[in-house]
Amino acid sequence: MAKSDAVRITTARSSAAADMKSRQRRYAISMSIRTVCFLAAVFVGDGVLRWILVAAAVFLPFLAVVVANAENQRDDGFRLPDGPGAHELTAGRNED
């Protein structure tokens, strides 16, 4: 790993187990919302609201997969300066 590829602890990824648990939780929440939309579409009766709920029930699986597989990245906005000598300390004056 080069110096410019150093990882700050505040931007480090979560562990694989924590990442998997988070993805499963987001997916389960999305599928629960889909189930509610489907059941509401059955009981709401005819009308525009029924078709909105059906559309939500149809497209939520796609959105759930996209959200569940969203990459786990953190960024605190900190960047080291680039260029020659940017990472070097200079010698100070010695006044002994």
Side-chain angles (χ1 to χ4, degrees):
M1 184 183 305
K3 282 187 180 182
S4 63
D5 294 338
V7 175
R8 292 172 45 102
I9 192 65
T10 56
T11 60
R13 290 183 174 200
S14 302
S15 69
D19 185 45
M20 181 63 77
K21 184 177 180 180
S22 174
R23 289 177 191 223
Q24 288 173 340
R25 186 179 68 246
R26 287 185 297 211
Y27 187 79
I29 290 169
S30 297
M31 289 298 98
S32 298
I33 294 170
R34 178 187 187 219
T35 302
V36 169
C37 286
F38 179 75
L39 291 174
V42 170
F43 292 112
V44 79
D46 291 334
V48 176
L49 182 58
R50 170 182 267 180
W51 295 110
I52 291 172
L53 291 169
V54 168
V58 168
F59 290 110
L60 268 174
F62 170 74
L63 293 174
V65 169
V66 170
V67 169
N69 289 330
E71 195 169 337
N72 178 17
Q73 292 183 346
R74 296 182 188 160
D75 187 7
D76 64 357
F78 178 80
R79 299 287 181 259
L80 292 173
D82 290 331
H87 305 290
E88 299 174 6
L89 295 174
T90 57
R93 297 178 120 199
N94 190 356
E95 299 189 23
D96 287 334

